Amino acid sequence: MTRANVTDDIEAIVEDTDLPRRLKDDVYSTIEERDVTVEEADQIAKAVQSRYQETRVDPLDPVGTVSAQSIGEPGTQMTMNTFHYAGVAEIDVTQGLPRLIELVDARKTPDTPMMTVHLEDEYATDREKAHEVVWKIEATRILALGDISTNVADMLVQIDLNEETLMERWPTVDQVEDVAEEIAETIESKLAVQTRQAGTMIEFGPEEPSYRDLLQLVEELREVVFKGIEDISRVVIRKEETDEGEEFVLYTEGSAFGDVLGIEGIDASRTTCNNIHEIYRNLGIEAARETLINETMHTLEEQGLDDVNIRHLMLVADIMTNRGEIESIGRHGISGNKESVLARAAYEVTVNHLLDAAIHGEVDVLEGVIENVIVGKPVQLGTGDVDLRMGASQD
Amino acid sequence: MVDVSQHELVPDHSIVDEDVLDDVLEEYNIKKTDLPKIKRTDPATPDEAEVGDVIKIVRNSRTTDQAVVYRLVVS
């Protein structure tokens, strides 16, 4: 790669430094602006390099402890109670401390799962097309389609479907009767009953006349999903500004990341969700790590605590994904899998750990921080790791 | 199924050659088993990777432009 505005000499000097790409680029742009000589460029590069090396973490620095403090202190300022708020697109999202705890605990399902669904091509620009995708995702239950009434005299459940709603939600079907037929078939297979359908009216009843069975059928009917994905209860459509103009973005309440990725019209390269386990299952450990960092940083930013350095969150995410799967921070995850008995016992359920260790004859080599604090030895960090000996001879 | 590698959250995964790997391990002065792990069944693991292979991952890093990390494939 050659740069237009700097000489080969300067480029050789800068490329020779021990700097990361981004800093090198910064050095180039500074040099270009100031019109400097080769000697000056050399001085600039040297100065930047020494500054960069100074700010690096020293060997034996307790980065984990520093991270814990750096996330813990702002954590004390976060909202304790789950204030659901109508933020982006009026969807309730858990935030603040509960969300942060949820993330580091690696809960299987978040309190408020949600997805951000991006669309591709004409689906992103055409509102009608975008709505087509919405109906494919959002779970459609019977109450959204028409009115149910129970006829106790004839022991029948009667459904009066709304014609307009049907045409809106099944945009690809031309005839209302076809949709009604499809709905009737779904009811037959899900509830195991015989239905009679005429126009937009559907009626069915229990095999034996029984008031209890009739009510039971109505209850079950309410839960049947006729279209869309069961876990997604609501979809909000929003127009957003991008670099290339405007596009429609969908926000969903509830998530089914794997199912959604396969749906036509969805941009499977940008769609995300806030459940790290779903990301891990569908996109792998690296994507899960990325999402963890994004979500933790976002949670902190939301609370105005954006001056937490991203490196701390990256470290947390690195540790949580170190074994190739998501581990929580705590008794069942990272802390519970520590080698040292004393370290585990110091965390939670002390007696159980000590008892188990005694039964199995475990040995503690006293290498970690906690063990050494317990036994009162210098911790093997920083200067504590270095043994100094005085030389016998003097010269 | 969807092509996982196309997703913007998924960085490049590639298998590391045996001799390149030795240089890497020597540079960091570690054993292969000290590396972070990745599951054989992980959606982003290249199809031809086997248990014991090392995967090179080139991330778009937030702190440097690109960060190269390695993961050992485990079952």
Side-chain angles (χ1 to χ4, degrees):
Chain A
M1 186 183 67
T2 43
R3 290 174 168 271
N5 298 328
V6 292
T7 62
D8 287 353
D9 286 346
I10 292 180
E11 193 176 328
I13 289 167
V14 177
E15 288 303 320
D16 212 34
T17 55
D18 198 11
L19 295 173
R21 183 77 260 153
R22 213 176 53 188
L23 282 179
K24 277 180 188 167
D25 288 342
D26 282 351
V27 172
Y28 280 129
S29 59
T30 312
I31 289 174
E32 279 165 23
E33 270 170 37
R34 314 270 156 120
D35 184 32
V36 296
T37 63
V38 176
E39 287 82 56
E40 284 167 332
D42 188 43
Q43 280 174 2
I44 293 171
K46 289 259 165 58
V48 175
Q49 175 171 275
S50 73
R51 197 50 212 272
Y52 169 67
Q53 285 167 341
E54 268 171 36
T55 51
R56 287 205 288 205
V57 173
D58 294 319
L60 301 168
D61 223 19
V63 283
T65 312
V66 174
S67 285
Q69 291 177 338
S70 306
I71 298 168
E73 195 278 333
T76 62
Q77 301 171 38
M78 296 177 99
T79 46
M80 295 287 197
N81 46 357
T82 338
F83 254 127
H84 291 254
Y85 88 120
V88 180
E90 305 94 50
I91 282 188
D92 283 350
V93 190
T94 314
Q95 34 147 34
L97 199 60
R99 176 65 181 149
L100 197 65
I101 292 171
E102 194 172 87
L103 284 165
V104 295
D105 274 355
R107 298 261 172 80
K108 280 281 175 274
T109 44
D111 214 24
T112 50
M114 68 157 292
M115 288 189 296
T116 308
V117 181
H118 289 268
L119 304 169
E120 59 183 6
D121 306 332
E122 74 267 21
Y123 290 94
T125 48
D126 183 352
R127 189 176 274 273
E128 297 268 301
K129 283 278 196 182
H131 260 290
E132 240 175 73
V133 181
V134 172
W135 302 135
K136 276 185 202 162
I137 302 176
E138 192 178 76
T140 301
R141 295 198 166 78
I142 198 70
L143 283 179
L145 298 174
D147 301 318
I148 319 173
S149 51
T150 41
N151 183 338
V152 185
D154 302 327
M155 280 294 155
L156 283 175
V157 182
Q158 288 166 327
I159 307 164
D160 183 10
L161 296 167
N162 185 324
E163 202 169 312
E164 270 172 42
T165 324
L166 293 193
M167 292 324 285
E168 187 189 38
R169 300 220 174 191
W170 274 265
T172 47
V173 185
D174 298 328
Q175 295 293 318
V176 179
E177 280 73 27
D178 293 344
V179 182
E181 216 176 289
E182 197 183 316
I183 291 173
E185 276 167 25
T186 315
I187 294 174
E188 283 189 16
S189 68
K190 290 270 169 70
L191 299 182
V193 288
Q194 290 295 319
T195 61
R196 273 190 308 280
Q197 179 239 331
T200 57
M201 293 289 290
I202 301 173
E203 54 180 31
F204 62 90
E207 274 174 40
E208 302 287 321
S210 149
Y211 187 60
R212 238 184 95 231
D213 286 357
L214 188 73
L215 290 185
Q216 183 73 31
L217 279 177
V218 176
E219 282 301 307
E220 284 172 28
L221 179 65
R222 283 174 202 270
E223 293 306 313
V224 175
V225 174
F226 292 95
K227 201 165 196 253
I229 300 166
E230 199 177 346
D231 292 328
I232 295 169
S233 52
R234 206 160 72 94
V235 179
V236 175
I237 185 164
R238 244 179 73 122
K239 197 178 218 173
E240 283 185 3
E241 301 277 338
T242 60
D243 299 339
E244 295 115 51
E246 289 176 329
E247 65 165 4
F248 288 108
V249 181
L250 313 183
Y251 293 89
T252 70
E253 236 173 69
S255 73
F257 192 58
D259 296 340
V260 161
L261 282 187
I263 289 177
E264 195 201 326
I266 278 168
D267 187 344
S269 69
R270 290 185 298 153
T271 295
T272 57
C273 84
N274 71 349
N275 183 345
I276 44 175
H277 289 276
E278 273 187 293
I279 296 276
Y280 168 60
R281 273 198 299 279
N282 292 291
L283 297 177
I285 194 73
E286 279 293 321
R289 173 187 173 275
E290 206 67 19
T291 309
L292 251 175
I293 301 171
N294 287 341
E295 288 288 324
T296 41
M297 195 65 216
H298 185 74
T299 309
L300 290 171
E301 275 169 359
E302 203 97 88
Q303 303 274 313
L305 304 168
D306 51 347
D307 45 4
V308 176
N309 197 294
I310 190 93
R311 275 158 252 253
H312 300 306
L313 304 172
M314 287 166 74
L315 183 71
V316 170
D318 272 336
I319 291 172
M320 288 180 69
T321 57
N322 190 40
R323 292 185 187 213
E325 56 190 4
I326 298 170
E327 277 185 295
S328 64
I329 293 188
R331 177 151 45 105
H332 303 289
I334 316 278
S335 301
N337 289 327
K338 279 184 179 167
E339 200 95 323
S340 161
V341 187
L342 291 176
R344 269 182 282 132
Y347 189 66
E348 269 168 12
V349 285
T350 309
V351 177
N352 294 9
H353 276 125
L354 291 179
L355 186 64
D356 284 349
I359 292 169
H360 296 110
E362 279 183 57
V363 175
D364 200 315
V365 288
L366 302 181
E367 273 179 339
V369 177
I370 300 164
E371 306 90 285
N372 284 304
V373 171
I374 292 172
V375 299
K377 279 206 320 169
V379 175
Q380 297 189 348
L381 278 176
T383 50
D385 191 67
V386 185
D387 285 330
L388 289 181
R389 238 166 253 165
M390 211 185 282
S393 62
Q394 211 175 21
D395 46 22
Chain B
M1 236 329 254
V2 207
D3 185 3
V4 168
S5 64
Q6 293 304 311
H7 201 282
E8 60 181 12
L9 288 173
V10 183
D12 264 357
H13 291 58
S14 59
I15 302 175
V16 183
D17 285 336
E18 203 62 37
D19 40 334
V20 183
L21 175 64
D22 288 339
D23 293 345
V24 172
L25 296 181
E26 200 175 314
E27 187 190 338
Y28 292 104
N29 191 21
I30 52 169
K31 294 193 296 288
K32 201 159 82 171
T33 48
D34 295 333
L35 290 168
K37 314 291 187 294
I38 188 167
K39 291 263 161 95
R40 170 71 269 282
T41 51
D42 194 281
T45 313
D47 288 339
E48 57 280 9
E50 279 161 35
V51 172
D53 284 349
V54 172
I55 307 287
K56 177 183 178 179
I57 295 158
V58 185
R59 293 173 188 153
N60 286 327
S61 172
R62 292 170 176 75
T63 50
T64 75
D65 209 40
Q66 283 194 325
V68 179
V69 291
Y70 299 88
R71 282 183 188 268
L72 175 69
V73 181
V74 293
S75 54

